[in-house]
């Protein structure tokens, strides 16, 4: 996999986030980049931190979604994995030389300025807001990659329409292979990305 085409994805892995994760991954793949995400392989014998560091080192681009930082219930801890991995990525960019100095990242949030309560060091940084809206995720990711990689990508509405078509086609294809509706909805991320790549190659 090429450093210049890899996009490290740092985001929550809970079920409620999948509605945003799917269009995020699709947009990266549709624009001919390769998502690198911890769920791409599930080796219980591999230390997760080592896997994450390797992916950061192998990726020129990174997307960090901080929209689930806030604890949902009283007594629940803040979720610190995402800002921790953001710090690793920024540190790699700042402290290593050579190609790593060219790294670029996109930070996503659900609401403007909310992250500052937990991570004030980012106060002067440009943060993209998706409002927990899947179509807005497509727009933000497409616009960022188009700008940073100097693409001439189709517009956000076109990419969203392609994602909607993919979902319908993939659901039908998997149902023909014996998957239940729940199986399709909970398809493992590595398998989902394979389906996305195959569909995009056929366009």
């Amino acid at each position: 996999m090429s450093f210049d085409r890899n996009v490290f994805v740092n985001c929550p892995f809970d079920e409620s986030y999948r509605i945003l994760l799917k269009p995020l991954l699709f947009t990266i793949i549709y624009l001919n980049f390769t998502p690198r995400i911890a769920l791409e392989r599930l080796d219980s014998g591999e230390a997760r931190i080592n896997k994450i560091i390797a992916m950061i080192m192998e990726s020129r681009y990174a997307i960090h979604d901080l929209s689930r930082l806030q604890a949902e219930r009283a007594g629940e801890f803040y979720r610190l994995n995402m800002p921790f991995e953001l710090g690793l990525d920024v540190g790699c960019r700042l402290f290593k030389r050579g190609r790593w100095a060219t790294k670029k990242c996109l930070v996503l949030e659900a609401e403007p300025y909310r992250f500052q309560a937990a991570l004030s060091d980012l106060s002067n940084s440009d943060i993209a807001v998706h409002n927990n809206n899947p179509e807005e995720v497509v727009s933000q990711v497409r616009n960022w990659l188009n700008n940073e990689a100097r693409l001439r990508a189709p517009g956000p509405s076109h990419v969203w329409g392609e994602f909607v078509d993919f979902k319908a086609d993939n659901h039908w294809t998997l149902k023909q292979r014996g998957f239940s509706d729940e199986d399709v909805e909970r398809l493992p991320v590595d398998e989902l990305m394979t389906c996305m790549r195959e569909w995009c190659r056929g366009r």
Side-chain angles (χ1 to χ4, degrees):
M1 286 176 276
S2 167
F3 173 81
D4 289 328
R5 307 302 292 185
N6 285 348
V7 182
F8 173 65
V9 177
N10 168 24
C11 67
F13 295 146
D14 55 80
E15 287 297 319
S16 66
Y17 188 78
R18 286 181 72 90
I19 192 173
L20 303 181
L21 178 60
K22 291 177 181 180
L24 189 157
L25 294 173
F26 179 85
T27 304
I28 295 170
I29 291 170
Y30 188 77
L31 297 181
N32 200 30
F33 288 80
T34 302
R36 304 301 309 278
I37 185 169
L39 294 179
E40 72 183 39
R41 59 183 188 263
L42 299 174
D43 178 3
S44 298
E46 181 180 22
R48 185 164 173 179
I49 185 64
N50 294 338
K51 176 166 58 174
I52 288 167
I53 290 171
M55 290 179 182
I56 288 171
M57 297 268 295
E58 294 165 359
S59 304
R60 182 176 184 188
Y61 302 98
I63 297 172
H64 304 273
D65 194 330
L66 305 183
S67 62
R68 299 298 193 272
L69 279 182
Q70 189 172 11
E72 296 180 353
R73 295 179 295 276
E76 186 178 29
F77 288 103
Y78 276 77
R79 301 167 69 174
L80 300 179
N81 284 344
M82 278 73 74
F84 176 67
E85 293 174 27
L86 169 60
L88 290 174
D89 188 45
V90 172
C92 181
R93 173 179 175 175
L94 294 178
F95 300 128
K96 287 186 69 65
R97 298 179 181 179
R99 67 182 187 177
W100 294 283
T102 69
K103 286 170 66 64
K104 305 288 185 181
C105 75
L106 171 69
V107 179
L108 296 171
E109 239 288 27
E111 302 171 20
Y113 312 116
R114 188 182 62 159
F115 68 93
Q116 293 179 5
L119 201 58
S120 60
D121 285 349
L122 288 179
S123 295
N124 294 321
S125 302
D126 292 326
I127 306 295
V129 176
H130 57 53
N131 296 306
N132 290 315
N133 182 326
E135 190 168 358
E136 189 61 29
V137 167
V138 168
S139 180
Q140 295 292 354
V141 172
R142 178 268 173 204
N143 290 344
W144 173 71
L145 274 175
N146 185 69
N147 181 66
E148 295 300 333
R150 299 294 187 263
L151 308 176
R152 290 180 59 82
S157 295
H158 177 84
V159 180
W160 172 254
E162 292 286 87
F163 171 66
V164 172
D165 288 348
F166 160 75
K167 277 184 44 176
D169 291 347
N170 193 55
H171 188 272
W172 184 87
T173 299
L174 293 178
K175 289 283 285 186
Q176 297 305 303
R177 291 172 52 197
F179 286 70
S180 68
D181 290 339
E182 184 178 3
D183 292 336
V184 174
E185 186 61 32
R186 301 183 64 182
L187 196 67
V189 166
D190 61 332
E191 195 170 353
L192 173 65
M193 292 193 299
T194 296
C195 293
M196 289 176 173
R197 291 187 189 100
E198 291 175 350
W199 189 89
C200 288
R201 280 197 294 266
R203 301 303 278 174

